[in-house]
Amino acid sequence: MLSKVAVVLNDRLAMFEFGVVCEVFGLDRTADGLPGFDFRVCGAEPGKPLRSTTPGISVAPDFGLDQLADADLVAIPASPIGQYDDRVLAVVRDAADAGATVLTVCSGAFLAGAAGLLDNRKCTTHWRYVDKLAAMFPEATVDPDVLFVDEGNLITSAGTAAGIDACLHLVRREIGTAAANGIARRMVVPPQRDGGQRQFIEQPVPECSSAGLSTTLAWLAENLAHPHTVDELAARSSMSTRTFARRFAAETGTTPVKWLTTQRVLFAKHLLETTDIALERIADESGFGSGALLRHHFQRHVGIAPTEYRRRFGAA
Protein backbone atom coordinates (compact mmCIF):
# COMPACT_ATOMS: atom_id res chain seq x y z
CA MET A 1 0.00 0.00 0.00
CA LEU A 2 0.95 3.60 -0.52
CA SER A 3 1.07 5.05 2.98
CA LYS A 4 4.26 6.92 3.91
CA VAL A 5 5.39 9.56 1.43
CA ALA A 6 8.74 11.31 1.82
CA VAL A 7 9.64 14.29 -0.35
CA VAL A 8 13.37 14.92 -0.51
CA LEU A 9 14.47 18.50 -1.16
CA ASN A 10 17.63 19.98 -2.59
CA ASP A 11 18.77 23.56 -2.56
CA ARG A 12 17.09 25.76 -5.20
CA LEU A 13 14.05 23.52 -5.48
CA ALA A 14 11.32 24.31 -8.01
CA MET A 15 8.22 25.45 -6.14
CA PHE A 16 5.58 24.30 -8.62
CA GLU A 17 6.93 20.77 -8.86
CA PHE A 18 7.27 20.62 -5.07
CA GLY A 19 3.72 21.95 -4.76
CA VAL A 20 2.38 19.24 -7.07
CA VAL A 21 3.59 16.50 -4.73
CA CYS A 22 2.29 18.39 -1.69
CA GLU A 23 -1.11 18.90 -3.31
CA VAL A 24 -1.63 15.25 -4.20
CA PHE A 25 -0.12 13.58 -1.11
CA GLY A 26 0.22 16.26 1.57
CA LEU A 27 -3.32 17.55 2.09
CA ASP A 28 -5.65 15.84 4.53
CA ARG A 29 -8.77 14.90 2.56
CA THR A 30 -9.92 12.08 4.82
CA ALA A 31 -13.08 14.01 5.72
CA ASP A 32 -14.09 13.56 2.08
CA GLY A 33 -13.52 9.83 2.28
CA LEU A 34 -10.19 10.05 0.44
CA PRO A 35 -7.02 8.30 1.59
CA GLY A 36 -4.63 9.96 4.01
CA PHE A 37 -0.88 9.79 3.72
CA ASP A 38 1.90 10.03 6.28
CA PHE A 39 3.58 12.94 4.48
CA ARG A 40 7.12 14.08 5.35
CA VAL A 41 9.19 16.87 3.76
CA CYS A 42 12.83 15.90 4.22
CA GLY A 43 16.25 17.48 3.81
CA ALA A 44 19.86 16.81 4.71
CA GLU A 45 19.63 19.37 7.53
CA PRO A 46 16.10 19.55 8.99
CA GLY A 47 14.99 23.03 9.92
CA LYS A 48 17.56 24.68 7.66
CA PRO A 49 15.91 26.75 4.88
CA LEU A 50 16.59 25.68 1.32
CA ARG A 51 16.36 28.26 -1.42
CA SER A 52 13.83 27.88 -4.21
CA THR A 53 14.10 28.97 -7.82
CA THR A 54 11.42 31.57 -7.03
CA PRO A 55 13.09 34.74 -5.67
CA GLY A 56 12.28 35.47 -2.03
CA ILE A 57 10.97 31.99 -1.13
CA SER A 58 12.76 29.36 0.95
CA VAL A 59 11.53 26.07 2.37
CA ALA A 60 12.71 24.57 5.66
CA PRO A 61 12.09 20.80 5.75
CA ASP A 62 10.85 19.52 9.10
CA PHE A 63 12.38 16.06 8.75
CA GLY A 64 15.80 14.58 8.09
CA LEU A 65 16.90 12.06 5.51
CA ASP A 66 16.37 9.18 7.93
CA GLN A 67 12.65 9.37 7.11
CA LEU A 68 13.32 7.91 3.66
CA ALA A 69 14.39 4.59 5.15
CA ASP A 70 10.88 3.15 5.52
CA ALA A 71 9.02 5.31 2.98
CA ASP A 72 6.66 3.69 0.48
CA LEU A 73 7.20 6.60 -1.91
CA VAL A 74 10.18 8.92 -2.30
CA ALA A 75 9.21 11.95 -4.38
CA ILE A 76 11.89 14.12 -6.00
CA PRO A 77 10.79 17.56 -7.27
CA ALA A 78 12.82 19.50 -9.83
CA SER A 79 16.04 21.28 -8.88
CA PRO A 80 19.14 22.50 -10.79
CA ILE A 81 20.73 19.68 -12.75
CA GLY A 82 23.89 18.23 -11.19
CA GLN A 83 23.79 20.20 -7.92
CA TYR A 84 23.15 17.40 -5.45
CA ASP A 85 24.11 16.68 -1.89
CA ASP A 86 25.93 13.34 -1.72
CA ARG A 87 23.96 12.52 1.42
CA VAL A 88 20.72 12.87 -0.53
CA LEU A 89 21.94 10.62 -3.33
CA ALA A 90 22.94 7.94 -0.84
CA VAL A 91 19.61 7.83 1.00
CA VAL A 92 17.56 7.89 -2.21
CA ARG A 93 19.59 4.93 -3.47
CA ASP A 94 19.16 3.10 -0.16
CA ALA A 95 15.41 3.77 -0.10
CA ALA A 96 15.02 2.37 -3.61
CA ASP A 97 17.03 -0.69 -2.64
CA ALA A 98 14.75 -1.14 0.38
CA GLY A 99 11.67 -1.27 -1.88
CA ALA A 100 10.41 2.31 -2.05
CA THR A 101 8.89 3.62 -5.26
CA VAL A 102 10.78 6.68 -6.52
CA LEU A 103 8.81 9.33 -8.40
CA THR A 104 10.51 12.28 -10.10
CA VAL A 105 9.01 15.47 -11.47
CA CYS A 106 10.69 17.28 -14.36
CA SER A 107 14.47 17.59 -13.79
CA GLY A 108 14.16 15.44 -10.66
CA ALA A 109 14.99 12.57 -13.03
CA PHE A 110 18.61 13.77 -13.07
CA LEU A 111 18.90 13.23 -9.32
CA ALA A 112 17.52 9.72 -9.75
CA GLY A 113 20.13 9.19 -12.46
CA ALA A 114 22.92 10.48 -10.24
CA ALA A 115 21.76 7.99 -7.60
CA GLY A 116 22.12 5.19 -10.16
CA LEU A 117 18.41 4.49 -10.57
CA LEU A 118 18.04 5.08 -14.32
CA ASP A 119 20.48 2.46 -15.63
CA ASN A 120 18.75 -0.03 -17.93
CA ARG A 121 15.40 1.64 -17.27
CA LYS A 122 12.97 3.63 -19.39
CA CYS A 123 12.48 7.22 -18.23
CA THR A 124 11.56 10.73 -19.27
CA THR A 125 11.91 14.36 -18.23
CA HIS A 126 10.91 17.78 -19.56
CA TRP A 127 11.32 17.93 -23.33
CA ARG A 128 13.96 20.67 -22.98
CA TYR A 129 16.23 18.33 -21.03
CA VAL A 130 15.75 14.93 -22.68
CA ASP A 131 18.93 15.15 -24.79
CA LYS A 132 20.96 16.11 -21.74
CA LEU A 133 19.45 13.27 -19.70
CA ALA A 134 20.31 10.77 -22.44
CA ALA A 135 23.86 12.12 -22.71
CA MET A 136 24.49 12.08 -18.96
CA PHE A 137 22.99 8.63 -18.42
CA PRO A 138 23.66 6.59 -21.57
CA GLU A 139 22.52 3.35 -19.91
CA ALA A 140 19.01 4.78 -19.60
CA THR A 141 16.37 4.65 -22.34
CA VAL A 142 14.95 8.17 -22.50
CA ASP A 143 11.55 8.70 -24.12
CA PRO A 144 11.43 12.34 -25.26
CA ASP A 145 7.71 12.59 -25.94
CA VAL A 146 5.64 11.08 -23.16
CA LEU A 147 4.08 12.66 -20.08
CA PHE A 148 5.43 10.03 -17.72
CA VAL A 149 6.97 6.56 -17.65
CA ASP A 150 5.94 3.90 -15.15
CA GLU A 151 8.73 1.38 -14.57
CA GLY A 152 7.17 -0.18 -11.50
CA ASN A 153 9.26 1.16 -8.61
CA LEU A 154 10.46 4.11 -10.72
CA ILE A 155 8.12 6.72 -12.19
CA THR A 156 9.61 9.67 -14.07
CA SER A 157 7.55 12.54 -15.41
CA ALA A 158 7.92 15.53 -17.67
CA GLY A 159 7.57 19.17 -16.67
CA THR A 160 5.01 20.92 -14.48
CA ALA A 161 1.52 19.51 -15.09
CA ALA A 162 2.86 16.10 -16.14
CA GLY A 163 3.90 15.67 -12.51
CA ILE A 164 0.23 15.83 -11.55
CA ASP A 165 -0.54 13.11 -14.08
CA ALA A 166 2.24 10.89 -12.70
CA CYS A 167 1.16 11.38 -9.08
CA LEU A 168 -2.50 10.63 -9.85
CA HIS A 169 -1.43 7.63 -11.92
CA LEU A 170 0.46 6.26 -8.91
CA VAL A 171 -2.55 6.79 -6.63
CA ARG A 172 -4.74 5.02 -9.18
CA ARG A 173 -2.27 2.16 -9.54
CA GLU A 174 -1.83 1.58 -5.81
CA ILE A 175 -5.16 2.60 -4.28
CA GLY A 176 -7.73 2.67 -7.08
CA THR A 177 -9.62 4.82 -9.54
CA ALA A 178 -12.07 6.25 -7.01
CA ALA A 179 -9.26 7.71 -4.88
CA ALA A 180 -7.44 9.18 -7.88
CA ASN A 181 -10.64 10.67 -9.28
CA GLY A 182 -11.56 12.12 -5.90
CA ILE A 183 -8.19 13.85 -5.51
CA ALA A 184 -8.37 15.10 -9.11
CA ARG A 185 -11.83 16.49 -8.50
CA ARG A 186 -10.60 18.42 -5.47
CA MET A 187 -7.66 19.73 -7.51
CA VAL A 188 -9.96 20.58 -10.46
CA VAL A 189 -7.74 18.74 -12.95
CA PRO A 190 -8.45 15.97 -15.47
CA PRO A 191 -8.53 12.65 -13.58
CA GLN A 192 -6.41 10.85 -16.14
CA ARG A 193 -4.09 11.71 -18.97
CA ASP A 194 -2.40 8.58 -20.21
CA GLY A 195 1.37 8.53 -19.79
CA GLY A 196 1.85 7.87 -23.48
CA GLN A 197 0.37 11.19 -24.52
CA ARG A 198 2.74 13.60 -26.16
CA GLN A 199 4.37 16.30 -24.03
CA PHE A 200 4.27 19.07 -26.59
CA ILE A 201 0.71 19.64 -27.76
CA GLU A 202 -1.13 22.80 -28.60
CA GLN A 203 -3.19 22.61 -25.43
CA PRO A 204 -1.26 20.73 -22.69
CA VAL A 205 -4.38 20.28 -20.55
CA PRO A 206 -6.82 18.27 -22.69
CA GLU A 207 -9.82 20.53 -22.60
CA CYS A 208 -11.33 20.90 -26.04
CA SER A 209 -11.86 24.44 -27.26
CA SER A 210 -13.80 23.15 -30.26
CA ALA A 211 -17.51 22.93 -29.51
CA GLY A 212 -17.79 20.07 -32.00
CA LEU A 213 -15.12 18.04 -30.27
CA SER A 214 -16.44 18.74 -26.78
CA THR A 215 -19.90 17.59 -27.77
CA THR A 216 -18.54 14.50 -29.51
CA LEU A 217 -16.35 13.50 -26.55
CA ALA A 218 -19.24 13.92 -24.12
CA TRP A 219 -21.43 11.77 -26.37
CA LEU A 220 -18.69 9.15 -26.70
CA ALA A 221 -18.29 8.90 -22.95
CA GLU A 222 -22.00 8.08 -22.67
CA ASN A 223 -21.91 5.55 -25.52
CA LEU A 224 -18.79 3.49 -24.93
CA ALA A 225 -20.60 0.19 -25.47
CA HIS A 226 -21.22 0.89 -29.16
CA PRO A 227 -18.65 0.48 -31.96
CA HIS A 228 -17.31 3.73 -33.39
CA THR A 229 -15.22 4.71 -36.39
CA VAL A 230 -13.16 7.83 -36.95
CA ASP A 231 -15.27 8.61 -40.04
CA GLU A 232 -18.45 8.45 -37.95
CA LEU A 233 -17.00 10.68 -35.23
CA ALA A 234 -15.73 13.19 -37.80
CA ALA A 235 -19.20 13.39 -39.33
CA ARG A 236 -20.76 13.87 -35.89
CA SER A 237 -18.31 16.76 -35.35
CA SER A 238 -19.11 18.23 -38.79
CA MET A 239 -15.51 17.85 -39.93
CA SER A 240 -13.65 15.92 -42.57
CA THR A 241 -11.89 12.82 -41.29
CA ARG A 242 -8.47 14.40 -41.79
CA THR A 243 -9.44 17.65 -40.03
CA PHE A 244 -11.04 15.75 -37.16
CA ALA A 245 -7.96 13.56 -36.60
CA ARG A 246 -5.62 16.56 -36.71
CA ARG A 247 -7.73 18.68 -34.34
CA PHE A 248 -8.30 15.76 -31.99
CA ALA A 249 -4.55 15.20 -31.65
CA ALA A 250 -3.88 18.91 -31.22
CA GLU A 251 -6.43 19.31 -28.44
CA THR A 252 -6.11 16.03 -26.55
CA GLY A 253 -2.56 14.92 -27.32
CA THR A 254 -3.64 11.49 -28.54
CA THR A 255 -5.57 9.77 -31.33
CA PRO A 256 -9.33 9.10 -31.30
CA VAL A 257 -8.75 5.34 -31.10
CA LYS A 258 -6.32 5.62 -28.17
CA TRP A 259 -8.60 8.06 -26.34
CA LEU A 260 -11.58 5.77 -26.77
CA THR A 261 -9.62 2.72 -25.63
CA THR A 262 -8.45 4.58 -22.52
CA GLN A 263 -12.01 5.61 -21.65
CA ARG A 264 -13.20 2.04 -22.09
CA VAL A 265 -10.46 0.74 -19.79
CA LEU A 266 -11.38 3.38 -17.19
CA PHE A 267 -15.03 2.34 -17.35
CA ALA A 268 -14.08 -1.32 -17.07
CA LYS A 269 -12.00 -0.47 -13.98
CA HIS A 270 -15.01 1.27 -12.46
CA LEU A 271 -17.20 -1.78 -13.06
CA LEU A 272 -14.57 -4.12 -11.64
CA GLU A 273 -14.29 -1.95 -8.52
CA THR A 274 -17.99 -1.45 -7.88
CA THR A 275 -19.83 -4.54 -9.22
CA ASP A 276 -19.54 -8.31 -9.34
CA ILE A 277 -20.87 -8.71 -12.88
CA ALA A 278 -19.14 -11.21 -15.17
CA LEU A 279 -16.12 -10.23 -17.22
CA GLU A 280 -17.88 -10.85 -20.54
CA ARG A 281 -20.65 -8.45 -19.57
CA ILE A 282 -18.08 -5.84 -18.53
CA ALA A 283 -16.46 -6.30 -21.94
CA ASP A 284 -19.82 -5.65 -23.61
CA GLU A 285 -20.74 -2.63 -21.50
CA SER A 286 -17.33 -1.01 -21.89
CA GLY A 287 -17.30 -1.53 -25.66
CA PHE A 288 -14.58 -4.16 -26.03
CA GLY A 289 -17.06 -6.79 -27.20
CA SER A 290 -15.20 -9.82 -25.85
CA GLY A 291 -13.43 -10.82 -22.69
CA ALA A 292 -10.27 -11.59 -24.65
CA LEU A 293 -10.10 -8.06 -26.08
CA LEU A 294 -10.84 -6.56 -22.67
CA ARG A 295 -8.05 -8.59 -21.08
CA HIS A 296 -5.61 -7.56 -23.81
CA HIS A 297 -6.21 -3.81 -23.49
CA PHE A 298 -6.60 -3.91 -19.70
CA GLN A 299 -3.29 -5.69 -19.22
CA ARG A 300 -1.59 -3.24 -21.59
CA HIS A 301 -2.96 -0.13 -19.87
CA VAL A 302 -3.11 -1.20 -16.23
CA GLY A 303 -0.35 -3.77 -16.05
CA ILE A 304 -2.41 -6.54 -14.44
CA ALA A 305 -5.29 -8.75 -15.54
CA PRO A 306 -8.90 -7.63 -14.89
CA THR A 307 -9.48 -10.50 -12.45
CA GLU A 308 -6.41 -9.53 -10.43
CA TYR A 309 -7.51 -5.88 -10.45
CA ARG A 310 -10.93 -6.87 -9.11
CA ARG A 311 -9.29 -8.99 -6.42
CA ARG A 312 -7.22 -6.00 -5.26
CA PHE A 313 -9.68 -3.14 -5.62
CA GLY A 314 -13.16 -4.61 -5.89
CA ALA A 315 -15.78 -4.03 -3.24
CA ALA A 316 -15.51 -6.58 -0.46
Side-chain angles (χ1 to χ4, degrees):
M1 288 295 293
L2 181 60
S3 178
K4 182 177 178 180
V5 178
V7 186
V8 59
L9 300 185
N10 275 281
D11 195 33
R12 300 195 66 235
L13 65 133
M15 290 301 298
F16 183 93
E17 286 77 0
F18 172 53
V20 163
V21 179
C22 293
E23 182 73 21
V24 175
F25 299 106
L27 297 186
D28 183 358
R29 300 186 175 98
T30 53
D32 295 333
L34 296 171
F37 302 99
D38 179 0
F39 185 76
R40 310 287 178 94
V41 179
C42 308
E45 300 179 41
K48 179 180 178 180
L50 295 169
R51 296 171 297 171
S52 75
T53 54
T54 304
I57 298 178
S58 296
V59 177
D62 283 348
F63 297 93
L65 298 177
D66 59 305
Q67 294 296 319
L68 275 66
D70 60 346
D72 303 305
L73 171 65
V74 174
I76 306 173
S79 61
I81 296 169
Q83 301 178 25
Y84 309 127
D85 189 315
D86 288 340
R87 293 170 293 179
V88 171
L89 297 179
V91 296
V92 168
R93 186 183 308 114
D94 290 345
D97 289 344
T101 296
V102 174
L103 183 148
T104 70
V105 184
C106 193
S107 63
F110 287 85
L111 190 152
L117 304 185
L118 300 187
D119 290 352
N120 303 310
R121 310 293 292 276
K122 294 179 181 179
C123 59
T124 194
T125 188
H126 192 287
W127 58 267
R128 291 184 63 182
Y129 308 133
V130 289
D131 290 341
K132 188 168 188 176
L133 187 68
M136 289 180 65
F137 305 104
E139 298 301 314
T141 300
V142 181
D143 191 329
D145 297 319
V146 298
L147 296 178
F148 60 86
V149 175
D150 182 346
E151 278 278 278
N153 62 352
L154 173 69
I155 299 177
T156 52
S157 63
T160 55
I164 299 175
D165 299 307
C167 290
L168 291 176
H169 166 78
L170 180 61
V171 173
R172 185 178 299 105
R173 189 188 81 180
E174 296 298 319
I175 303 177
T177 302
N181 288 352
I183 295 172
R185 190 176 302 115
R186 281 286 303 269
M187 294 175 64
V188 196
V189 297
Q192 175 153 345
R193 293 196 298 170
D194 183 75
Q197 287 186 209
R198 291 178 292 137
Q199 285 192 39
F200 192 73
I201 57 178
E202 292 181 21
Q203 295 185 9
V205 177
E207 296 176 351
C208 294
S209 61
S210 165
L213 277 186
S214 296
T215 302
T216 299
L217 294 188
W219 178 83
L220 264 178
E222 296 297 323
N223 293 274
L224 294 175
H226 305 295
H228 302 288
T229 67
V230 176
D231 288 343
E232 167 212 336
L233 299 177
R236 175 172 286 276
S237 304
S238 301
M239 302 177 194
S240 70
T241 301
R242 180 175 296 180
T243 298
F244 175 79
R246 184 178 65 249
R247 191 168 296 175
F248 196 101
E251 296 200 24
T252 69
T254 190
T255 67
V257 171
K258 288 182 178 179
W259 185 92
L260 183 57
T261 299
T262 297
Q263 299 310 307
R264 284 172 167 160
V265 169
L266 286 172
F267 186 59
K269 289 171 72 175
H270 169 72
L271 294 177
L272 289 166
E273 291 176 8
T274 59
T275 74
D276 59 358
I277 61 177
L279 200 64
E280 289 293 334
R281 183 179 164 191
I282 290 177
D284 286 338
E285 294 194 11
S286 58
F288 288 112
S290 72
L293 200 57
L294 167 62
R295 284 188 287 271
H296 169 76
H297 288 291
F298 199 93
Q299 180 79 40
R300 184 176 179 183
H301 279 71
V302 184
I304 58 175
T307 51
E308 174 63 15
Y309 185 86
R310 169 173 271 169
R311 187 186 69 80
R312 294 187 190 183
F313 303 114

